[in-house]
Amino acid sequence: MNEVLQYRLVIADDHPLFRGAMREAVSGLLERVDIAEAGTFDEVVELLERGGEVDLVLLDLAMPGVRGFSGLMYMRAQYPGVPVIVVSANDDPAAIRRCMEFGASGFIPKTLGVDAMRTAISRILGGGVWTPPDVDLAVGLDTEAAELIARMATLTPQQVRVLMMLSEGLLNKQIAYQLGVSEATVKAHVSAILQKLGVESRTQAVIAAAKIEAGHWPQNVAAEG
Amino acid sequence: MNEVLQYRLVIADDHPLFRGAMREAVSGLLERVDIAEAGTFDEVVELLERGGEVDLVLLDLAMPGVRGFSGLMYMRAQYPGVPVIVVSANDDPAAIRRCMEFGASGFIPKTLGVDAMRTAISRILGGGVWTPPDVDLAVGLDTEAAELIARMATLTPQQVRVLMMLSEGLLNKQIAYQLGVSEATVKAHVSAILQKLGVESRTQAVIAAAKIEAGHWPQNVAAEG
DNA sequence: GCCCATATTCGACTTTTGGCGAAACTACCG
DNA sequence: CGGTAGTTTCGCCAAAAGTCGAATATGGGC
């Protein structure tokens, strides 16, 4: 049946003003659209968990509760069917490239004009991908890092959860409790993670994960004062 | 003989031109001075290991073989008697403060003029400390990080070596082999490290160390109000 | 429906890790 | 010289981590 085109979007950004502007831009693009807003990563997860079908998430990686790419990785692992557009103030080509490697459907610099933004979103809603036309995606082609990201992309949803908990320094016992499974299960997941990442201990796994996260976000504007 | 004031300095920087300029500046300051240059961190260690007495090290933290503060930490742990001046292109007050917390005797921005540089060096050779006069050392006073650095400062030389090997993801067995001691000894060091850093596992120890290294000056965790 | 691939789960077993106590060595001080 | 404090060293034992094999969902495709 021909389903009225009722799109469901989620706009995730910690700046309310920007969320509003983004909502405005999208409203003009689509007639029937249900837009939810989230100011923290947990809110995004809650929306996806509860609300059911979502057609697109506009995600700012510099949000409370996310450090770097882990939010994107988590999202792609837990909800593989939901396209994610990364919206960021950072327009470093290497960062853009990395987002795409993590499975984003697009990357929208916050500096982008409304028109280009609409073009990008409609393209992605149609099933395609979109990145800023004027960046060289070959930049930052770090073989080692790229390969590691590719390996991380093969992790199952549960394994991604476990890897993040490893990166917090939790014991298998603690992870097991939080996930509501047995310790043996966690160990099995850890073993699978180690094999997929090509490392030999949990310590090496968190080091590898940290390398990906690290240092690709500009020195934050020392705006305090 | 009457103790000719024969100072021995080490200039450690990966830019030969800058090393030359620095050598020039110091030559004008001291009459009898033996200046050694190093382009990598390993060369610095070799000089200190072989040459014996060294009165001062001028260390650039952005050198091959060093990632962030670990070079300074290693140096202060292995050769506590040798004063270290950090020479860096970065003049972020928080970074300066962190260097001083790690036990540096001074911090010289590369932008500094020759005269001020000479003042700083002579002051430090006299046993004092020196930091740029116009920076607010109270900035970047991150309690958590500062406390962690203070804890790291209590590590013994051998413990520092072990901690760095932990951060490379090595097993106790591998560390033991490289240090030429038994595995039991390494475990004892690891236990001491965990206690001093206030963490509960080697994984948490490397996470803590990485937080300090990452240079990621305090990533603001949106505790706005 | 059945079948196949994958994800998730778990128990038994081996290896690694970490805590505890103690000996040897060093350095410094009265 | 003796004594005190700190570092380095090590063995023993309990806990945690990791491997292996296997049972149980889960989710398409034929």
Side-chain angles (χ1 to χ4, degrees), chain B residues 25-48:
Chain B
V26 178
S27 301
L29 175 66
L30 302 168
E31 292 204 357
R32 305 183 67 91
V33 58
D34 172 18
I35 302 180
E37 297 186 12
T40 69
F41 189 72
D42 287 340
E43 289 178 26
V44 181
V45 174
E46 192 184 349
L47 283 171
L48 287 170

Side-chain angles (χ1 to χ4, degrees), chain B residues 58-94:
Chain B
L58 295 159
L59 178 68
D60 180 3
L61 289 189
M63 249 185 13
V66 211
R67 43 205 181 300
F69 298 97
S70 58
L72 176 58
M73 177 169 64
Y74 185 89
M75 193 133 288
R76 292 300 300 162
Q78 304 301 321
Y79 317 100
V82 182
V84 176
I85 300 182
V86 174
V87 184
S88 174
N90 181 358
D91 59 350
D92 177 5

Side-chain angles (χ1 to χ4, degrees), chain B residues 148-193:
Chain B
L148 190 55
I149 291 174
R151 289 166 184 261
M152 287 194 184
T154 70
L155 294 178
T156 69
Q158 195 79 320
Q159 286 164 4
V160 169
R161 286 206 195 96
V162 172
L163 175 57
M164 291 176 147
M165 294 183 181
L166 290 185
S167 294
E168 293 169 7
L170 274 58
L171 298 179
N172 289 339
K173 191 178 297 185
Q174 299 173 293
I175 297 174
Y177 177 76
Q178 286 192 26
L179 292 182
V181 299
S182 87
E183 199 178 332
T185 301
V186 176
K187 291 178 187 176
H189 285 308
V190 172
S191 288
I193 292 171

Side-chain angles (χ1 to χ4, degrees), chain A residues 156-158 181-182 184-185 188-189:
Chain A
T156 69
Q158 195 78 322
V181 299
S182 87
T185 302
H189 284 309

Side-chain angles (χ1 to χ4, degrees), chain A residues 120-200:
Chain A
I121 294 176
S122 62
R123 169 96 64 95
I124 292 169
L125 279 175
V129 304
W130 190 92
T131 53
D134 56 339
V135 303
D136 181 7
L137 285 188
V139 167
L141 207 155
D142 179 350
T143 309
E144 190 180 349
E147 189 176 354
L148 190 55
I149 292 174
R151 289 164 184 261
M152 286 194 184
T154 71
L155 295 178
T156 69
Q158 195 78 322
Q159 286 165 4
V160 170
R161 285 205 195 97
V162 173
L163 176 56
M164 290 175 148
M165 294 183 182
L166 290 185
S167 294
E168 292 170 6
L170 298 179
L171 301 177
N172 289 337
K173 191 179 297 186
Q174 299 172 294
I175 297 174
Y177 178 76
Q178 286 193 25
L179 292 182
V181 299
S182 87
E183 199 177 332
T185 302
V186 176
K187 292 179 186 176
H189 284 309
V190 173
S191 287
I193 292 171
L194 299 184
Q195 198 169 7
K196 285 185 177 179
L197 296 192
V199 297
E200 289 173 345

